[in-house]
């Protein structure tokens, strides 16, 4: 049963209750060096998906569909805020989008504008009140905000705002943005938003709504995706849609127009769409791991279809580290597209030798040893007749702690494989992310502490190879020359502000 938080249509939200960071770790957690990555998780996790709809009689229902398509970006909580020109309602709940937003609940969200958010939250940070959108009555009026990403220069801004008299009730990224807007000396809301976004550093794709307007913005380096779409309306103005990934547009029958540009602030009113560049001049560093793992293969992000990128990663991996074998088997679901590319390039049969149980839900994502040991076998099961007596090339998208990879290798061997060769469709993950991806500290990243050969021994594979950085970048090339962040593979962080505690050399050998 989902738990819901319903904010009445005109009520004024209490900042202390409502403000929370989209990102898994709050500012306090990050600044104390606390790693929020779930101890049982051996996958990196995206932390949010956002959607906004302007100019549709059933805007909340459209946002619901968009969030449904973005469910992979966060499964622990979701929220939708809607506005009808005068009032602004907001409903949030714990659980999957379809569990929270029944017909009865959607009926409480009237209006032709809506924004929504789906969230993956981390240990100690999964309370209902931390769900988004948050709704705040600021000095610039009632605002609902939902964002995807992590800010990295919060300490300085917070100290400055406090010197200027700001009273903080939480430690979240979102409160910093709202406080900046509220304290901006700019005369209009749009100027205040531009002024505020220009002061924060880090990764954010934001949708915001007032009683009569919608705003969307990306950080100046364009870390996280955010696209603009349109539903044509022959009888009136078109509906404008924003979504973290274009797969959301397909369900809405919206046409993709373009990406929100890095450093761009877009405003949609009854008069249409206007845009301004609130920041420029910084090199684009879009998250390459969106192409490797997070985004759905049927999405187009950063100017490129994710499916094409993963197919190329697989082909490049086959060129770089081919090995004699009988079958190519993906670790489903995320390894499937790269495995297809690998198999085609290598001229080997592709087989679904591992089956994922899609009905394993959040119930089993619990940091308890008993469940953790059970976890991989609950999620994956080998197809014995496809693996028995075969030399298997296993394709996966990452090795984080190594524990899950070892269990999978053992599982494939236990099903009769005579050899297991693991191929990873990106370089070794050697450093944490500070830009909206839930990552363990460096001490828990196996590739930060062991050589490739040591990892091979640990996971008990016959051979192990990663895609090279050059190969990854080549696989994600665009005509527009998209620049990518590769910091979790290179430690070259695009921003100055990172949490030093998290990236100090590991002191523990796993
Ligand atoms: S550090 Fe890695 S996961 Fe984080 S934004 Fe950069 S490429 Fe993406």
């Amino acid at each position: 049963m989902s738990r819901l938080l319903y904010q009445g249509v005109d009520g004024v939200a209490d900042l202390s209750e409502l403000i929370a960071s989209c990102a898994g770790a709050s500012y306090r957690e990050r600044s104390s060096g606390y790693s929020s990555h779930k101890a049982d998780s051996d996958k990196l996790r995206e932390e949010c998906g956002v959607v906004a709809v302007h100019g549709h009689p059933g805007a909340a229902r459209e946002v619901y569909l968009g969030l449904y398509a973005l469910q992979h970006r966060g499964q622990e909580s979701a929220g939708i805020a809607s506005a009808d020109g005068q009032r602004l309602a907001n409903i949030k709940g714990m659980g999957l989008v379809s569990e929270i937003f029944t017909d009865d609940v959607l009926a409480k969200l009237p209006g032709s504008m809506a924004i929504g958010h789906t969230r993956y939250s981390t240990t100690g940070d999964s309370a209902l009140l931390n769900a988004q959108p948050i709704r705040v009555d600021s000095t610039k009026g009632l605002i609902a905000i939902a964002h995807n990403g992590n800010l990295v220069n919060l300490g300085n801004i917070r100290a400055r705002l406090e010197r200027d008299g700001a009273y903080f009730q939480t430690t979240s990224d979102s409160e910093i943005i709202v406080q900046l807007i509220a304290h901006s000396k700019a005369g209009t809301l749009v100027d205040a938003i531009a002024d505020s976004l220009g002061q924060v550093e880090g990764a954010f794709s934001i949708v915001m709504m007032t009683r009569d307007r919608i705003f969307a913005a990306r950080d100046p380096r364009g870390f996280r995706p955010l696209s603009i779409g349109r539903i044509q309306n022959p009888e009136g103005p078109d509906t404008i849609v924003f979504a973290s990934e274009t797969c959301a547009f397909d369900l809405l029958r919206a046409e993709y127009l373009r990406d929100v540009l890095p450093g761009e602030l877009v405003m949609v009113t009854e008069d249409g769409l206007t845009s301004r560049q609130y920041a420029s001049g910084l090199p684009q560093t879009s998250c390459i791991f969106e192409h490797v793992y997070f985004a759905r293969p049927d999405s187009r992000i950063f100017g490129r279809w994710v499916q094409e990128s993963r197919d190329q990663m697989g082909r490049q991996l086959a060129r770089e580290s081919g090995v004699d074998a009988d079958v190519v088997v993906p670790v489903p679901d995320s390894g499937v597209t790269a495995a297809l590319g690998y198999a085609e390039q290598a001229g080997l049969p592709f087989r679904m030798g591992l089956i994922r149980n899609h009905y394993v839900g959040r119930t089993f994502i619990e940091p308890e040893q008993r469940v953790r040991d059970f976890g991989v076998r609950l999620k994956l099961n080998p197809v014995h007749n496809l693996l028995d007596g075969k030399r298997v090339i296993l394709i996966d998208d990452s090795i984080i702690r190594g524990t899950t990879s070892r269990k999978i290798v053992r599982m494939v061997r236990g099903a009769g494989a005579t050899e297991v060769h693991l191929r990873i469709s990106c370089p070794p993950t050697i450093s944490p992310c500070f830009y909206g991806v839930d990552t363990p500290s460096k001490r828990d990243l196996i590739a930060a502490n062991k050589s490739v050969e040591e990892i091979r021994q640990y996971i008990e594979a016959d051979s192990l190879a990663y895609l090279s950085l050059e190969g990854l970048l080549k696989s994600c090339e665009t005509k527009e020359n998209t620049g990518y962040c590769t910091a979790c593979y290179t430690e070259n962080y695009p921003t100055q502000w990172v949490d030093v505690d998290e990236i100090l050399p590991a002191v523990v050998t796993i």
Side-chain angles (χ1 to χ4, degrees), residues 403-417:
T403 47
T404 301
S405 302
R406 182 164 64 175
K407 287 175 188 169
I408 294 171
V409 169
R410 284 179 181 171
M411 181 184 284
V412 171
R413 219 186 279 285

Side-chain angles (χ1 to χ4, degrees), residues 302-380:
F302 311 140
R304 191 178 163 85
W305 287 101
V306 175
Q307 182 277 333
E308 271 180 9
S309 299
R310 288 192 194 154
D311 180 76
Q312 285 303 321
M313 288 170 210
R315 290 173 187 277
Q316 184 65 20
L317 196 51
R319 285 190 283 267
E320 291 181 9
S321 56
V323 59
D324 279 346
D326 302 311
V327 286
V328 177
V329 172
V331 176
D333 294 319
S334 50
V336 169
T337 313
L340 278 163
Y342 190 107
E344 244 180 69
Q345 182 69 35
L348 289 170
F350 168 92
R351 295 286 182 266
M352 288 298 290
L354 290 168
I355 300 299
R356 177 172 290 274
N357 181 341
H358 288 103
Y359 303 98
V360 177
R362 302 176 312 286
T363 325
F364 290 101
I365 307 175
E366 296 289 342
E368 292 173 14
Q369 189 68 36
R370 178 179 55 82
V371 174
R372 200 153 74 218
D373 287 346
F374 207 28
V376 175
R377 286 186 295 128
L378 274 175
K379 287 178 193 161
L380 292 178

Side-chain angles (χ1 to χ4, degrees), residues 165-233:
Y167 173 63
F168 280 87
Q169 299 179 65
T170 77
T171 54
S172 78
D173 292 13
S174 305
E175 184 175 5
I176 300 257
I177 292 172
V178 176
Q179 289 279 12
L180 280 170
I181 293 170
H183 281 79
S184 170
K185 296 195 170 43
T188 65
L189 178 61
V190 66
D191 287 340
I193 294 172
D195 175 39
S196 306
L197 297 182
Q199 296 177 53
V200 291
E201 173 108 74
F204 53 86
S205 284
I206 293 181
V207 290
M208 278 191 237
M209 183 175 66
T210 62
R211 288 187 172 102
D212 58 0
R213 282 175 286 177
I214 279 187
F215 300 90
R218 277 174 84 199
D219 68 76
R221 293 179 177 84
F223 279 100
R224 300 278 146 232
L226 187 62
S227 299
I228 313 174
R230 172 179 59 185
I231 305 169
Q232 289 193 345
N233 178 6

Side-chain angles (χ1 to χ4, degrees), residues 1 55 61 233-234 339 349 360 373 399 447 482:
M1 188 74 175
R61 193 168 290 274
N233 178 6
V360 177
D373 287 346
I399 302 177
T482 302

Side-chain angles (χ1 to χ4, degrees), residues 223-224 287-289 294 432-435 437 485-488 493:
F223 279 100
R224 300 278 146 232
C287 172
I288 204 160
F289 205 57
F294 291 130
C433 175
F434 299 95
Y435 309 122
V437 175
C485 172
T486 57
C488 48
Y493 291 94

Side-chain angles (χ1 to χ4, degrees), residues 33 45 178 203 218 237 256 270 325 358 384 415 445 467 483 498 507:
R45 303 259 180 187
V178 176
R218 277 174 84 199
Y256 166 80
E270 276 185 345
H358 288 103
H384 288 250
L445 290 169
L467 183 61
V498 294
V507 290

